[in-house]
Amino acid sequence: MSFRRGVVRQSKFRHVFAQAWKTEHCLDDVRVTRVTWEAPLCAPNPKFIAVIVEAGGGGAFLVLPLNKSGRVDQNTPTVCGHAAPVLDVQWCPHDDNVIASASEDCTVKVWQIPDEGLKAPMTEAVVTLEGHSKRVGILAWHPTALNILLTAGCDNLVCVWDVGTGELVYQLSDAHPDLIYSVCWNREGSVVCTTCKDKALRIIDPRRGTVLKVKEKAHDGTRPMRAVFLSDGKILTTGFSRMSERQLALWDTNDLTEPMAVQEMDTSNGVLLPFYDPDTSMVYLCGKGDCTIRYFEVTDESPYVHFISLYSSKEPQRGAGFLCKRGVDVNKCEIARFYKLHERKVEPISMTVPRKSDLFQGDLYPDTAGSEPSLLAEDWIAGQDAPPILISLSGGYVAPPSKQRDTLRGRPKLPPQSDDSGPAATATPVVKETEVETTAPARVAQETEAVPDRAKEDDQLNEILTEVKALKAVVQAQGQRIDMLERQLARIEDGDV
């Protein structure tokens, strides 16, 4: 269907245009994975780009510097610790060197990439999360709390992990009766919205383990749906009509009875993946197998979702990665950038607002979410919420070096529980051999000192206090889990289930 333009609407994004980068700035000879999973298959951040690739046995993904271009040598080292194909990769929003990967081997692994990139194949993850019984295809880092990671698998489970300790802190086992298609946090990270094969859109509080709202048949078609939270709390979904037309719908979470707006596009089979930019209120739609990227602006004025334009090319895309705002070139008025996956090529595509001035355009770049977390994991587990900490992009953003505080060990790991202490732990932190080797001499040296150094005593005291605080948070979280299970047991005994 053709989009109606009608009366010209005033918007600074009305003339946004998309342009593919020249061939010499693309990545060539990249063997992009052939898995049929509906996912972006690519994840860029201000430092690196990760691309899931074909691997002979097991699963692997490339991690390359964002500014790399040209041919990628077939001997380039990969992250290859999974026993089956990788289905999704996501960079941590609070550390540009930390990436999570989900795989058909039913595990999720978290990796720490050195600033200089990979010099050899990486097989040992910092943390391995084991809690799913079927393949895991969805990853979603918490937008404001450090080390909180949500995963969803084909076992219809939603798990929330603290990757700093490797602990499974929440598990939703009865919220979805069928395959989960997508999960997205809201801006503060207090709730998530999900789509499922049963055609329902759900709003869920993962800490309470409760489904707050449900919209049955958000889209009538049988093909997969997707949903993303907007910054004002509304939800945007993509799906299919009963006649297999691809649709875009906007929902007010206060009343899910009817959508605020619906737009029908075409009858292609490709699932539309929505990418939302909270700074500009723009939504970009990419479909696997499509040759186009459509983009819209969402406003408070009817019809609420305004079609702007579409980028079209000759080659279909096998996936696409969306770069966060910290990575764009503000000197060229670039407001978004995609990395389009071809069969053997990765092609950057810039979305640009034409401006004559060379000065920083503050109206195009409001303060955006930075890499500093608003909360620690234990704060969020205890019930706190906070919006993202914003930074200015004036003068451009320079990615800092890897955080030496060791993000993934923000809280000490708990000792393994004995077999008779209840259910077995569902997460397995992986400790590298080099850590053991370097720790042992340090302990020997400390024992031989006649008078302990005051600074070391202070460090030990801080570590103990941090561990006590972490243990208290975990105990509180497990207490909440026990309460929920007891309530479920009571309902079963009463015959309510």
Side-chain angles (χ1 to χ4, degrees), residues 278-290:
D279 301 332
T280 60
S281 293
M282 289 184 63
V283 175
Y284 304 85
L285 302 184
C286 300
K288 284 184 84 171
D290 286 6

Side-chain angles (χ1 to χ4, degrees), residues 431-448 456:
V431 182
K432 296 181 181 178
E433 295 178 2
T434 53
E435 293 173 358
V436 178
E437 293 171 358
T438 55
T439 305
R443 287 177 180 169
V444 173
Q446 185 176 7
E447 290 172 0
T448 57
K456 290 182 179 179

Side-chain angles (χ1 to χ4, degrees), residues 240-301:
F240 292 79
S241 71
R242 187 178 286 104
M243 303 302 294
S244 296
E245 291 179 308
R246 294 198 292 190
Q247 294 179 322
L248 168 69
L250 182 67
W251 303 87
D252 183 349
T253 51
N254 295 318
D255 183 7
L256 294 177
T257 308
E258 293 293 335
M260 297 174 61
V262 177
Q263 290 208 25
E264 295 182 344
M265 283 161 275
D266 54 32
T267 54
S268 174
N269 288 328
V271 176
L272 288 171
L273 305 180
F275 298 92
Y276 174 64
D277 179 2
D279 301 332
T280 60
S281 293
M282 289 184 63
V283 175
Y284 304 85
L285 302 184
C286 300
K288 284 184 84 171
D290 286 6
C291 299
T292 60
I293 299 175
R294 293 174 172 85
Y295 39 107
F296 303 77
E297 185 179 2
V298 183
T299 70
D300 295 328
E301 305 170 2

Side-chain angles (χ1 to χ4, degrees), residues 92-139:
C92 173
H94 306 123
D95 190 332
D96 290 335
N97 294 71
V98 173
I99 188 170
S101 59
S103 169
E104 288 188 2
D105 65 8
C106 308
T107 69
V108 173
K109 294 178 182 287
V110 182
W111 315 83
Q112 188 123 20
I113 307 299
D115 276 329
E116 63 274 12
L118 299 182
K119 302 299 182 185
M122 182 175 283
T123 58
E124 291 294 321
V126 179
V127 181
T128 298
L129 308 174
E130 298 175 336
H132 291 278
S133 59
K134 295 184 179 180
R135 61 180 179 173
V136 189
I138 297 174
L139 299 169

